[in-house]
Amino acid sequence: MRPAEKIKKMIKKLNDTTSAEMDKKVLSDALQALADSKETTSADAEPNKWRIIMKSRITRLAAAAVITIATLFGIGQFFGGTVTFAQVIEPILNARTIVFDFLVGEEEGPVIHDIVVGNRIRRTFSNMETVLILDLDNAKMLTLDPLNKGATYMDIKGPIGEQTKNFMEFVRNAVTRLEGQEVEELGQQEIDGRDAIGFLVRGHDEGIKIWADSETATPIRIELRFGQTRYILKNIEFDVPVDESLLSMDVPAGYILSEQEFDLSQFSEQDFIITLRILVKHSFGGNFPESLGLEDFVNMVGQIQAEAGEPKISEEEQVLLGMHFARGVMFFQQLGPSGIDWRYIGNGVKLGRADKAVFLYKPRDSKTYRVIYGDLSVKDVSPQDLPE
Amino acid sequence: MIEDKLLVSRLRRGDADAMCQVYQKYKDYLFTLAKALLGGQGEAEDVVHDVFVSFARMVRQLQFMTNLKGYLATCVGNRARDRIRARTRQAAANLDSTDPVSSNTDGPQQCAMVQEELTRLRQAMAEVPYEQREAVILHIKGRMKFREIAKLQGVPTSTSCARYRYGLDKLRSLLNSEVQ
């Protein structure tokens, strides 16, 4: 072997390892530095308490619905593959500013429009006037009701806050989860008037399809599937100039703010029953809907906002209803991720019918199912006696 | 590469677990680079510490990063240079008496031979002018391209190539008797 080659080989053999003591010190300091780099608040007290500061004129029920929508997408992580695909996901992972439309379910459904700048999000909805501004660093949310000039601040700490994410984060998590899976090229297609190249990655019970501009490799449409639910991100723009005042957490001039406590630290079956009642009564004319899924909650938010403004419901009732409604959605949300067996069987059942089951679930460690009927009564039923 | 992109993406969002993963993935590589550049264990530890702490502090502000490994190696290179500049005299770097060893150990006798060989290599490297040593270590061990080394050194690519050649020649000369 030539001397130079031997020297190179010797240099390659250099392999020093850090000590456990050093690892401990470096990691400790680095993690502290990482934590310090976040703009944190001292709001670690009240870990499971949401305090909502609500203006009397704001529609509390709608605000509560909005809270739940803001947190509905906190589902838990993608792939190897080609350099081209790596290019495509680059802006998804690293863009500081992202503007996009988000849909749950079908293309025709209500559109959620997000402007994301770092960890701030401005979220608006096609089916209601409410504006959300989320400060994820400080676990705060500002809700604005432009019609009534009402403003709401709320803390979004604790488990619920952890689920309150930028929808693009939802995509990033899917990318992470599907890492190592084969990337399938879908070829070229015109998407939203642009020549696009498509990629598909499939996981066990999920998949992600990304259409990217064939020249710039910038994603223009992303479709996610988790189980039976489909999510669409479209009209995506990365790192475009944004008026950052749109993401200010200050209450805009002319808006009025007042305080009221709103506790979402716990939820129960009873909350879910109230949610079902509100849903059926106010959004479906007294008949249970065809299905009960995430998209149904998204679809009904606008209707609830309209209904909750009716004069028969006092402000106090609205607050209570809003709180129970939000808790009920939380109860529903945690069923699947908690591994709890549940079924919705209420299609077409009239509210008040005691002989027709609408929903059933099996609490953890329980031998029997809890069955909710059309009159919203509940019974414990053994598995062999469950309704069809 | 994609794994690194995901890690950086998570770090930008303050994910502590991602920080641990990055540290575990690159700590030995960076420590080896730092020690090869500086010679002393303590200084190398300080450099790796400072690189990770600074990285953690800045990662949320960092713009587009194409290569995490290369970025961290460059940081080690920069910090090692700062330390070299801070020394009143370059002279001989502080060689620790207890040097770790290579991972290639086929047996006690082989291990002892490798240790001795690497100790001589470290001693020889300490005598190579820093810029040349830097080019040699970062190219061979750090797998950095000459244009990346040139950028770090603030010189044209041809200069970093020349420094690499001169450094390798110097090492060959110093180790001549050992490697024939």
Side-chain angles (χ1 to χ4, degrees):
Chain A
M1 185 185 289
R2 292 180 301 153
E5 290 305 313
K6 182 157 186 180
I7 290 170
K8 287 181 191 174
K9 198 176 167 188
M10 286 166 65
I11 290 173
K12 285 178 184 169
K13 275 187 185 174
L14 290 171
N15 188 14
D16 299 298
T17 51
T18 60
S19 65
E21 187 185 8
M22 173 183 169
D23 293 345
K24 190 177 173 187
K25 169 72 178 157
V26 177
L27 261 181
S28 167
D29 290 354
L31 290 173
Q32 185 61 52
L34 186 68
D36 290 345
S37 71
K38 295 171 76 172
E39 288 181 16
T40 54
T41 62
S42 60
D44 288 336
E46 302 180 301
N48 284 322
K49 192 102 166 173
W50 284 16
R51 287 178 64 82
I52 292 192
I53 303 164
M54 277 192 174
K55 183 53 215 158
S56 61
R57 294 175 64 196
I58 196 165
T59 310
R60 274 71 172 235
L61 189 51
V66 162
I67 295 163
T68 60
I69 295 306
T71 63
L72 280 173
F73 307 97
I75 304 172
Q77 293 174 16
F78 169 157
F79 55 90
T82 66
V83 171
T84 310
F85 189 62
Q87 290 171 341
V88 164
I89 64 160
E90 181 80 47
I92 294 173
L93 297 176
N94 294 315
R96 181 173 180 268
T97 301
I98 313 173
V99 178
F100 58 93
D101 291 332
F102 185 88
L103 297 95
V104 181
E106 297 307 311
E107 195 85 47
E108 301 75 32
V111 178
I112 300 169
H113 180 71
D114 267 17
I115 299 173
V116 181
V117 179
N119 274 344
R120 288 271 181 101
I121 304 166
R122 180 186 178 90
R123 181 166 295 164
T124 50
F125 305 80
S126 65
N127 58 341
M128 60 180 177
E129 296 295 326
T130 304
V131 178
L132 300 183
I133 300 167
L134 296 108
D135 177 353
L136 301 182
D137 279 342
N138 294 309
K140 290 266 183 196
M141 179 155 75
L142 172 63
T143 304
L144 300 175
D145 175 6
L147 291 177
N148 298 310
K149 298 293 179 192
T152 302
Y153 275 125
M154 62 192 84
D155 289 342
I156 47 172
K157 300 188 197 76
I160 297 301
E162 285 165 18
Q163 293 187 3
T164 306
K165 291 180 180 171
N166 162 10
F167 291 150
M168 196 58 79
E169 185 75 9
F170 199 45
V171 178
R172 289 172 181 144
N173 285 341
V175 168
T176 306
R177 265 199 313 277
L178 293 171
E179 183 173 13
Q181 301 294 325
E182 187 180 348
V183 178
E184 185 181 334
E185 291 196 18
L186 302 174
Q188 285 193 292
Q189 192 173 311
E190 189 177 301
I191 300 287
D192 297 334
R194 293 159 71 178
D195 281 337
I197 184 164
F199 300 91
L200 172 66
V201 188
R202 289 193 180 96
H204 169 60
D205 195 29
E206 61 184 319
I208 183 166
K209 194 187 288 183
I210 302 180
W211 290 98
D213 186 295
S214 54
E215 286 184 12
T216 64
T218 306
I220 51 183
R221 180 185 173 93
I222 300 168
E223 296 174 20
L224 285 160
R225 180 186 56 77
F226 291 96
Q228 298 301 310
T229 308
R230 189 169 75 133
Y231 308 84
I232 303 166
L233 283 81
K234 61 181 191 176
N235 302 321
I236 310 169
E237 296 178 280
F238 294 95
D239 286 325
V240 288
V242 166
D243 176 1
E244 297 202 14
S245 68
L246 291 172
L247 294 104
S248 168
M249 290 296 286
D250 297 330
V251 174
Y255 280 72
I256 309 164
L257 191 70
S258 70
E259 186 171 348
Q260 185 152 354
E261 199 166 293
F262 200 88
D263 183 5
L264 292 180
S265 61
Q266 52 196 339
F267 44 80
S268 66
E269 175 191 274
Q270 194 54 40
D271 295 315
F272 179 57
I273 288 170
I274 291 173
T275 302
L276 280 177
R277 183 173 60 74
I278 294 170
L279 171 70
V280 177
K281 183 177 174 187
H282 292 288
S283 295
F284 293 96
N287 289 311
F288 281 84
E290 185 179 337
S291 64
L292 197 64
L294 182 58
E295 57 269 47
D296 300 301
F297 287 110
V298 175
N299 289 335
M300 75 190 205
V301 168
Q303 294 162 290
I304 284 178
Q305 185 179 36
E307 293 291 335
E310 65 182 39
K312 291 177 202 165
I313 302 176
S314 72
E315 289 184 359
E316 290 71 24
E317 283 173 326
Q318 283 192 28
V319 174
L320 275 176
L321 277 177
M323 188 170 74
H324 288 300
F325 175 83
R327 286 176 173 182
V329 176
M330 288 161 64
F331 174 88
F332 177 71
Q333 271 182 267
Q334 55 83 37
L335 291 174
S338 301
I340 290 172
D341 182 30
W342 67 271
R343 244 182 303 157
Y344 173 74
I345 47 177
N347 183 13
V349 175
K350 193 166 179 58
L351 183 63
R353 282 195 65 164
D355 60 331
K356 287 280 186 185
V358 295
F359 192 90
L360 58 88
Y361 73 101
K362 187 167 176 283
R364 190 176 287 132
D365 303 326
S366 170
K367 290 180 180 168
T368 57
Y369 279 76
R370 298 283 290 167
V371 179
I372 303 173
Y373 293 85
D375 63 350
L376 302 177
S377 62
V378 189
K379 291 177 185 165
D380 289 312
V381 178
S382 58
Q384 61 269 26
D385 296 328
L386 285 179
E388 293 295 316
Chain B
M1 186 176 168
I2 291 174
E3 183 191 333
D4 282 356
K5 288 175 191 294
L6 292 168
L7 285 171
V8 171
S9 172
R10 286 168 54 199
L11 275 170
R12 286 193 170 122
R13 301 190 297 283
D15 186 329
D17 186 50
M19 187 72 237
C20 295
Q21 287 182 48
V22 171
Y23 181 72
Q24 290 300 333
K25 188 172 180 184
Y26 291 120
K27 67 187 179 86
D28 290 341
Y29 163 75
L30 296 174
F31 182 58
T32 301
L33 278 188
K35 192 166 173 191
L37 290 169
L38 291 162
Q41 173 122 356
E43 276 194 307
E45 286 181 349
D46 287 348
V47 162
V48 173
H49 172 274
D50 294 350
V51 165
F52 275 107
V53 170
S54 175
F55 174 63
R57 191 176 295 131
M58 299 298 297
V59 67
R60 290 158 74 88
Q61 281 82 50
L62 288 176
Q63 294 299 307
F64 186 75
M65 187 194 297
T66 54
N67 180 348
L68 174 60
K69 186 179 180 182
Y71 172 82
L72 292 171
T74 303
C75 291
V76 166
N78 282 325
R79 292 204 176 251
R81 298 191 112 228
D82 291 345
R83 287 191 169 252
I84 291 291
R85 286 196 193 103
R87 290 177 184 171
T88 50
R89 295 178 62 201
Q90 181 176 340
N94 298 326
L95 290 171
D96 289 348
S97 54
T98 54
D99 267 341
V101 291
S102 95
S103 57
N104 187 8
T105 54
D106 299 327
Q109 194 176 2
Q110 179 75 11
C111 177
M113 286 172 60
V114 172
Q115 270 197 48
E116 190 181 338
E117 203 173 42
L118 291 178
T119 300
R120 282 200 295 275
L121 173 68
R122 289 184 194 281
Q123 288 169 335
M125 284 197 301
E127 292 185 40
V128 176
Y130 182 75
E131 287 79 7
Q132 294 174 19
R133 188 194 328 159
E134 185 178 58
V136 170
I137 296 296
L138 292 181
H139 183 66
I140 298 174
K141 186 68 190 175
R143 293 175 178 266
M144 286 174 67
K145 296 185 173 73
F146 285 119
R147 59 179 165 78
E148 293 171 328
I149 298 169
K151 193 175 173 188
L152 183 150
Q153 295 186 326
V155 296
T157 303
S158 57
T159 304
S160 66
C161 283
R163 285 175 173 175
Y164 169 79
R165 286 198 307 276
Y166 293 141
L168 212 53
D169 285 347
K170 176 83 173 170
L171 276 175
R172 191 164 45 190
S173 165
L174 289 164
L175 294 168
N176 193 33
S177 61
E178 316 295 337
V179 297
Q180 292 298 334

